[in-house]
Amino acid sequence: MAPLRVVITGGAGQIAYSLIPLIARGLVFGPDVKVDLRLLDIPPAANALAGVAMEVQDSLFSTALEGVLATTNEVEAFTGAQVAILLGGFPRRPGMERWDLIGKNAGIMKRMGELLETYASPNCKVVVVANPAQTNCYILSIYAPSLPRKNITSLSRLDHDRMIGMLLHEANSRLISDSAADGSECVRRLTAADVRGACIWGNHSNSQVPDVSAVEFFVDGRWVPIESVIPDRTWLGLSNSLPGGGNIGVGPEESLVEAVRKRGAAVLAARKLSSAMSAANAIAEHLSDWLSPEKSGHSPAVSMGVTTDGNPFGVSEGIFSSLPVRCTIGGDWNYDEGFSMTDDVRRHLEASVVELEEEKATALKMLEKAEAAAGSVAGLVPRPSL
Ligand code: LMR
């Protein structure tokens, strides 16, 4: 079988540095799928990119890598790409919100869309990581109009995994301290496979809606509701004690919801660099659930930034939003209609959708301005569904 051609933009960056070994060891597209990797970066990063290529060679990866091309030539990188992992973009610096990146990254995404449209495989599968990720998907969809919209996704798996990680931390602490109090000898630590029903709704921003209302843990051989392990409804964001019925993001102590929303900024403040290892891991999970023959069709519901066109959750159409989906065999996905939204989640999701619509309007304005400045007569050609 011909190798899978995968392009990574921002190939010399931090996330790519953590992601390449996962791909090369067969942990993303499956152990039996050979990958022809194209690492793209901008000319000022050419030396760093060459260094990454040297390290790939020195790592003796033999499982899944068929070949690696490190290049600053966009056409060479995108030609025939069957998967595009878009990491490249202006990065968030400490003190900046992801929103601040719209203007800086809209032009880059326009170019990526044009490259996908002209040079990539017509069925190329795309994951956008560069922020603002969902709005970047929207820009791609305009400039790569032939690409099926369902093929364009953004990463919200990092938020999803952050939430699961925090839930596991809290659940295991409680189970361990309960078993110590009972005098039980040991307790089995829960892992990610022992959690189901979590979802991130909305934007990859401070307005995102981490939702644990349907979460269950697998404890002592059966699935039990989240509150039987973590009864703190306020921390979980499930309390109905406040006017309006819910406390997402409100409360004297940082709730789980606030902690998930701010995790990217917290890592950025601590490392002076954005999350990279955890982002790479989340990309690997996103892609393997979606595309690997071993996992696609067998994974539980996951959070993915996807088109809202035709969604069953009542989210307005014409944007991209994190929603619960189930990946199906052969690289497709469907909305997970089994997820029902509480009134509280719906109310918060509406605010996040308003933000996504504002981001979209801002990005369009900036692109129009740039096109006018460049003297373009083509203008934007939004799709009929918008
Ligand atoms: C993250 O969530 O860590 C990334 O999107 C980087 C950022 O700007 O927060």
Side-chain angles (χ1 to χ4, degrees):
M1 205 170 58
L4 184 73
R5 188 165 288 189
V6 177
V7 58
I8 302 183
T9 71
Q14 288 265 323
I15 299 178
Y17 199 74
S18 292
L19 179 60
I20 293 165
L22 302 180
I23 294 176
R25 294 207 172 102
L27 297 171
V28 179
F29 300 106
D32 301 327
V33 176
K34 294 283 181 197
V35 173
D36 169 8
L37 197 56
R38 308 268 154 138
L39 302 174
L40 174 71
D41 218 311
I42 51 176
N47 281 342
L49 192 61
V52 172
M54 288 181 222
E55 284 208 70
V56 171
Q57 181 180 325
D58 299 346
S59 300
L60 307 183
F61 291 125
S62 58
T63 324
L65 274 197
E66 182 77 14
V68 179
L69 175 79
T71 180
T72 57
N73 181 322
E74 296 169 336
V75 172
E76 195 175 29
F78 272 83
T79 297
Q82 293 160 288
V83 178
I85 304 172
L86 304 187
L87 309 177
F90 194 90
R92 179 154 76 132
R93 304 271 185 233
M96 288 170 81
E97 287 301 328
R98 296 185 186 106
W99 172 280
D100 298 329
L101 298 174
I102 297 180
K104 298 193 184 297
N105 284 334
I108 298 176
M109 284 303 136
K110 171 184 174 203
R111 179 71 189 136
M112 296 297 113
E114 290 165 348
L115 288 162
L116 285 167
E117 177 73 12
T118 315
Y119 300 103
S121 145
N123 193 28
C124 183
K125 302 290 191 328
V126 182
V127 55
V128 179
V129 181
N131 281 310
Q134 280 99 333
T135 299
N136 287 342
C137 286
Y138 170 74
I139 297 172
L140 285 186
S141 73
I142 296 176
Y143 289 97
S146 312
L147 209 58
R149 262 191 188 205
K150 276 185 93 178
N151 287 22
I152 303 175
T153 68
S154 70
L155 189 71
S156 56
R157 187 61 173 269
L158 179 53
D159 303 299
H160 184 109
D161 288 354
R162 286 168 171 161
M163 174 165 66
I164 303 276
M166 289 178 201
L167 285 175
L168 284 172
H169 181 77
E170 184 65 22
N172 282 323
S173 314
R174 286 173 184 265
L175 290 171
I176 288 164
S177 80
D178 289 354
S179 79
D182 290 355
S184 329
E185 290 228 320
C186 64
V187 60
R188 186 182 71 88
R189 289 183 75 79
L190 303 182
T191 68
D194 301 313
V195 187
R196 70 179 183 190
C199 175
I200 302 286
W201 303 87
N203 201 358
H204 174 60
S205 76
N206 286 344
S207 74
Q208 67 179 263
V209 190
D211 177 10
V212 298
S213 51
V215 165
E216 294 180 315
F217 290 118
F218 195 69
V219 183
D220 294 334
R222 65 197 176 94
W223 289 101
V224 297
I226 186 168
E227 286 173 79
S228 62
V229 180
I230 308 176
D232 185 345
R233 289 179 63 83
T234 304
W235 183 74
L236 290 172
L238 296 174
S239 167
N240 288 319
S241 58
L242 293 176
N247 77 334
I248 285 189
V250 185
E253 286 176 17
E254 187 174 68
S255 65
L256 169 74
V257 171
E258 279 302 299
V260 173
R261 285 173 170 170
K262 291 185 191 157
R263 188 63 151 197
V267 171
L268 179 58
R271 268 174 33 93
K272 307 286 177 275
L273 291 167
S274 287
S275 304
M277 176 174 51
S278 54
N281 194 61
I283 296 164
E285 296 290 325
H286 175 114
L287 287 172
S288 59
D289 279 343
W290 186 17
L291 303 176
S292 88
E294 285 72 27
K295 284 175 81 183
S296 67
H298 305 292
S299 301
V302 291
S303 308
M304 268 168 68
V306 291
T307 173
T308 57
D309 294 356
N311 81 89
F313 306 110
V315 177
S316 32
E317 306 211 343
I319 54 172
F320 285 76
S321 169
S322 181
L323 295 174
V325 304
R326 275 183 191 274
C327 297
T328 56
I329 294 171
D332 200 2
W333 58 262
N334 293 317
Y335 302 110
D336 189 343
E337 306 208 16
F339 264 82
S340 57
M341 249 184 274
T342 63
D343 288 348
D344 197 32
V345 167
R346 185 171 299 284
R347 196 159 51 84
H348 289 280
L349 177 57
E350 273 163 20
S352 199
V353 166
V354 167
E355 184 184 60
L356 283 165
E357 282 169 341
E358 284 169 5
E359 281 187 17
K360 169 177 154 181
T362 305
L364 283 175
K365 246 189 237 140
M366 294 194 168
L367 289 165
E368 270 164 16
K369 247 198 223 161
E371 296 216 354
S376 160
V377 288
L380 295 175
V381 190
R383 293 174 149 203
S385 67
L386 299 183

